[in-house]
Amino acid sequence: MSIYPGEPAMKKSLIALAVLAASGAAMAQSSVTLYGVADAGVGKVKSGGSDSSKKNEFLSGSTMNNGNSRLGVRGTEDLGGGLKAGFNFETGIDLDDGSATNSAFWARQANIWLGGNWGTVKLGRQFTPSYLTTSTFELTGTANYSVLANTYNYAGIGSRANSAFAYVTPNMGGFSAAVAYVTKTDLAASKAAYDLGLMYNNGPIAVGVSANKFSTSKTNYQAGAKYSFGNFAIAGSYTQASNTSKAVRRGFGLGASAGFGAFSLTADVTRDTKNEWTGKKYTNGVVEAKYALSKRTFVYGAFLRLDKTNNYGIGVRHNF
């Protein structure tokens, strides 16, 4: 029995405070975030394959959407000593009927990583270094209707890779690099591939150079740069991309964008210098207009000329 009145209550209060403090410290060391994108519109897509239509229709996850609707969860844990661990799972959603857009539920991202002052090592399905490099200078923000991405497929390797081991350096005065070894990829008939990207993004100048190769392709590469001045930006690139049949598509891109308050306008063109994919050289182009309703929501309209097809769409995108 305590000789001090109120001591048991005091002890309980101290214990409660200690539990709350410990809980708060644990919460400060780890976090999980739910995020996503909702994007839908109306338009016409005639770029071929299953993504083809001949009249106006509801658009979700199509070539003429700004992006694909998605739901994702990512988390980080502070392991101490400057070391962190994390994960990212992300699935696509069709706003037409609410279904998942891929047969694999977490087809957009499914990876785990360890990182620190020395950089980040990531394992699993993730963005390719060639995609990360392209996003450094591409003017539409790698929108679905990006003419550079649709013409050359991110230097032939695509935007994501399965079974990838990747290392990304820390940002050093604007310089960074990413390298990935892909042990199994559907692009290469389950054969290994490598992908390397070098990036510089500091002030008005952004530059990216990437190279990749899978066993049934030739060496693919892309080099591009963007220069921003005031409300304007110009960008140029040169790409060689090959497919699993070792057929080569090669050419350059050139574009410009301008921003006027909440409104922005972008025009981007590619021109083949060699095209073994279709047997004919094409000049492709995209025009995009966007109006920001807030920091997270904007409306857009785009017209894409792709390999002799005309595609257009208008829509709204909300990030959360």
Side-chain angles (χ1 to χ4, degrees):
M1 180 176 177
S2 174
I3 61 174
Y4 301 106
E7 183 179 85
M10 182 183 295
K11 284 184 177 179
K12 288 181 181 179
S13 297
L14 290 174
I15 291 171
L17 287 172
V19 171
L20 286 173
S23 175
M27 290 179 67
Q29 291 173 355
S30 62
S31 64
V32 176
T33 302
L34 180 70
Y35 69 93
V37 169
D39 187 320
V42 62
K44 180 178 73 171
V45 178
K46 293 187 67 177
S47 56
S50 59
D51 193 27
S52 180
S53 67
K54 295 183 179 180
K55 59 183 179 180
N56 291 341
E57 64 174 22
F58 186 89
L59 298 180
S60 177
S62 78
T63 301
M64 294 314 299
N65 285 97
N66 180 270
N68 293 336
S69 297
R70 70 203 74 158
L71 187 65
V73 58
R74 55 179 171 239
T76 61
E77 181 185 11
D78 191 340
L79 302 175
L83 185 65
K84 292 184 178 181
F87 69 91
N88 190 188
F89 300 135
E90 189 176 285
T91 184
I93 301 172
D94 189 342
L95 296 193
D96 185 22
D97 57 10
S99 63
T101 55
N102 301 94
S103 56
F105 188 74
W106 299 112
R108 294 184 58 84
Q109 297 285 334
N111 55 70
I112 186 171
W113 56 266
L114 288 173
N117 295 332
W118 42 268
T120 302
V121 174
K122 186 179 291 187
L123 292 77
R125 181 165 174 79
Q126 58 187 284
F127 288 127
T128 61
S130 287
Y131 169 85
L132 297 176
T133 301
T134 302
S135 66
T136 303
F137 57 82
E138 203 277 334
L139 290 171
T140 68
T142 61
N144 286 9
Y145 43 71
S146 162
V147 69
L148 190 61
N150 279 285
T151 303
Y152 301 114
N153 192 28
Y154 297 107
I157 201 168
S159 59
R160 294 171 180 80
N162 296 327
S163 308
F165 295 79
Y167 168 69
V168 181
T169 69
N171 189 303
M172 298 169 286
F175 287 98
S176 62
V179 59
Y181 178 75
V182 184
T183 58
K184 184 176 71 174
T185 170
D186 52 359
L187 290 174
S190 299
K191 298 295 180 66
Y194 77 82
D195 193 4
L196 170 67
L198 303 174
M199 294 153 278
Y200 176 79
N201 193 351
N202 194 7
I205 300 174
V207 180
V209 179
S210 66
N212 67 75
K213 189 178 189 307
F214 39 98
S215 62
T216 55
S217 81
K218 293 186 177 180
T219 300
N220 305 318
Y221 57 82
Q222 184 174 77
K226 179 174 69 175
Y227 181 73
S228 303
F229 51 102
N231 297 326
F232 303 91
I234 55 174
S237 62
Y238 192 79
T239 306
Q240 172 171 294
S242 60
N243 56 24
T244 54
S245 300
K246 295 190 176 183
V248 170
R249 187 167 191 173
R250 186 186 305 135
F252 61 87
L254 186 64
S257 65
F260 308 95
F263 177 77
S264 65
L265 184 66
T266 298
D268 209 1
V269 175
T270 60
R271 173 60 187 176
D272 294 328
T273 57
K274 184 175 184 177
N275 188 355
E276 296 176 342
W277 293 6
T278 66
K280 182 180 179 179
K281 299 175 186 177
Y282 287 103
T283 298
N284 295 331
V286 66
V287 177
E288 174 204 58
K290 293 195 297 187
Y291 185 81
L293 301 173
S294 71
K295 290 183 178 180
R296 298 188 301 169
T297 305
F298 61 84
V299 293
Y300 62 88
F303 175 84
L304 173 67
R305 174 75 172 179
L306 180 64
D307 293 356
K308 220 167 134 179
T309 67
N310 296 321
N311 312 269
Y312 60 82
I314 56 174
V316 58
R317 171 169 172 162
H318 173 69
N319 304 317
F320 62 91

